[in-house]
Amino acid sequence: MTASRVLVLNCGSSSLKYQLLDMADRSRLAVGLVERIGEEGSRLVHEPLTGPRAEGGKRETPAPIADHADALRAVAAELAADGTGLDSPDLAAVGHRVVHGGTRFTRPTVIDDEVLAEIRALIPLAPLHNPANVTGIEVARSLRADLPQVAVFDTAFHATIPEYAARYAIDAATADKYAIRRYGFHGTSHAYVSRATAALLGRPVEDVNVIVLHLGNGASASAVRGGVCVETSMGLTPLEGLVMGTRSGDLDPAVVFHLARVGGLSVDEIDSLLNKKSGLLGMCGDNDMREVLRRAGEGDEAASLAFSAYVHRLKKYIGAYSAVLGRVDAVAFTAGVGENAPQVREAALEGLAELGLVLDPQANAARSPRPRLVSADGARVAVAVVPTDEELEIATQAYALVTETP
């Protein structure tokens, strides 16, 4: 019997999210999270979804977890107790989320020493993410050296963007020297949702043009023509584009110079300001859209302004990407805000009937965990709400790579 299971690892600086999936039927066998790695109060939350231990539900294990090696060993122990451990012959691969692949990695890649060295060399492009991704890879390889380890890159889906869209209009030699270009992020989500939207419409992915709006604490938009990404809102880093929970999104670059020259802020202080203290948080003090909506509903002016700025930026990108695509078949909302905030969908599409975008208010207000259409009957452009599944996308890509015929 062919091994069909994939363990998906998503390593953050102080956390490790994981899922074990069986690609024979695309089912989840276990999910979990290790948080506060290397800090006080570290803990592992594990949930078996199959087998005799599944009836017990989630299990929380507070324990000192010094580093990612300790974390992965603790995960391996929980999986082993479920009968699905890392030594299982049913395990076909470990799939690793890697945030930045630069121009070198444009598809899922089996990791060897050379690949790992190149991922490490990309750390300057993603200093907050790639170091943790590298650590997760190193630890997993040490525990199962014989098992294929596959890197799936957030940037890969956007590698198809035309050169004229990927290039910034700066000195070409400088751009080349420092690898400055548009890379885009949330690629696994945009890939999954664009395909799922085509399936929801009952059409081949090659025939569908879709604008994907991934709206979480981080937020990004993409224009996907026939399954191929042709434009995306995030750039060299995840800072560019939409208004986000704590990130500013689009900004006049001279703001940086002004803050340095007039405000006396250091580069690190400006970096922290734009990435961690801006967006909704910077405008009204809350980065949770639920709280922003609650306050706006009570007449809070700062929250109302933040919400209006958020929606205004969304409208601009929907209009711009409609022009880029020429023909739009669907607009798909996904991620925490996109899936669960009907007020955001309503406000973002208000006044866009001339673009063919008309909501069905009742369908938009209804809650469901399943992909669904919320556009009005007869609307020229479908509006979809599609729950994203980045772990399934990573597992799918990893499994396809390790089982493909040479």
Side-chain angles (χ1 to χ4, degrees):
M1 181 172 162
T2 303
S4 59
R5 294 175 179 176
V6 177
L7 177 63
V8 175
L9 300 180
N10 180 356
C11 285
S13 59
S14 61
S15 67
L16 168 60
K17 298 178 184 177
Y18 63 94
Q19 290 194 15
L20 180 66
L21 300 97
D22 192 330
M23 300 313 295
D25 57 4
R26 297 163 69 87
S27 64
R28 282 174 177 76
L29 305 180
V31 301
L33 165 69
V34 186
E35 57 185 357
R36 302 184 67 84
I37 296 172
E39 303 172 11
E40 288 188 15
S42 54
R43 63 174 190 155
L44 186 156
V45 180
H46 177 78
E47 183 177 10
L49 302 176
T50 187
R53 297 217 304 170
E55 295 181 5
K58 291 182 181 179
R59 291 196 307 280
E60 181 177 331
T61 307
I65 299 174
D67 52 29
H68 285 77
D70 272 358
L72 195 48
R73 290 190 192 98
V75 170
E78 287 287 355
L79 293 173
D82 294 342
T84 57
L86 288 185
D87 59 350
S88 169
D90 295 325
L91 196 59
V94 178
H96 297 267
R97 180 202 179 201
V98 179
V99 167
H100 215 306
T103 57
R104 164 68 173 83
F105 298 108
T106 59
R107 55 180 56 86
T109 304
V110 174
I111 301 166
D112 57 19
D113 291 343
E114 180 182 349
V115 169
L116 183 57
E118 293 194 49
I119 295 173
R120 194 178 286 111
L122 290 168
I123 285 175
L125 290 176
L128 299 179
H129 298 93
N130 272 34
N133 302 156
V134 166
T135 299
I137 292 168
E138 290 174 335
V139 173
R141 291 180 82 201
S142 71
L143 294 179
R144 275 295 304 269
D146 61 311
L147 192 67
Q149 311 276 330
V150 178
V152 178
F153 299 89
D154 272 16
T155 50
F157 182 64
H158 306 301
T160 53
I161 293 173
E163 192 70 4
Y164 55 77
R167 282 280 186 167
Y168 293 106
I170 66 172
D171 173 68
T174 301
D176 291 341
K177 181 177 180 180
Y178 298 106
I180 298 172
R181 60 185 292 115
R182 181 178 304 283
Y183 292 101
F185 299 88
H186 296 145
T188 51
S189 178
H190 287 278
Y192 177 86
V193 171
S194 58
R195 288 201 315 275
T197 301
L200 185 63
L201 297 179
R203 296 169 58 181
V205 67
E206 296 82 7
D207 294 344
V208 176
N209 292 354
V210 58
I211 297 171
V212 178
L213 301 172
H214 176 107
L215 308 180
N217 191 52
S220 60
S222 67
V224 184
R225 178 182 291 124
V228 177
C229 185
V230 295
E231 179 63 286
T232 192
S233 59
M234 287 179 167
L236 174 73
T237 76
L239 180 60
E240 189 179 1
L242 303 175
V243 175
M244 305 179 220
T246 66
R247 299 182 193 131
S248 66
D250 291 339
L251 189 78
D252 180 349
V255 170
V256 175
F257 314 146
H258 182 78
L259 290 171
R261 292 169 180 159
V262 178
L265 275 68
S266 69
V267 170
D268 287 344
E269 288 172 328
I270 296 171
D271 188 320
S272 177
L273 172 70
L274 299 182
N275 277 290
K276 300 178 181 179
K277 302 174 184 177
S278 295
L280 295 174
L281 180 67
M283 293 189 73
C284 73
D286 275 303
N287 65 307
D288 188 320
M289 180 58 77
R290 292 167 295 189
E291 187 64 14
V292 173
L293 287 169
R294 183 193 66 78
R295 288 172 50 193
E298 295 175 352
D300 186 298
E301 291 185 5
S304 295
L305 178 60
F307 179 73
S308 295
Y310 184 98
V311 168
H312 178 69
R313 191 77 56 84
L314 274 176
K315 284 180 182 286
K316 287 175 65 175
Y317 272 89
I318 292 169
Y321 286 3
S322 296
V324 167
L325 290 171
R327 187 198 83 239
V328 179
D329 299 300
V331 172
F333 289 84
T334 192
V337 174
E339 295 169 28
N340 299 303
Q343 305 96 315
V344 169
R345 298 191 295 266
E346 179 182 5
L349 300 182
E350 184 180 2
L352 300 185
E354 288 296 320
L355 296 180
L357 291 159
V358 183
L359 281 176
D360 178 325
Q362 189 171 4
N364 184 52
R367 301 278 181 169
S368 172
R370 302 183 63 82
R372 62 200 186 276
L373 294 178
V374 296
S375 41
D377 290 342
R380 190 170 76 250
V381 178
V383 180
V385 179
V386 180
T388 192
D389 198 331
E390 294 177 87
E391 289 78 16
L392 177 57
E393 180 67 19
I394 291 170
T396 300
Q397 292 190 29
Y399 187 66
L401 181 62
V402 300
T403 58
E404 67 183 7
T405 303

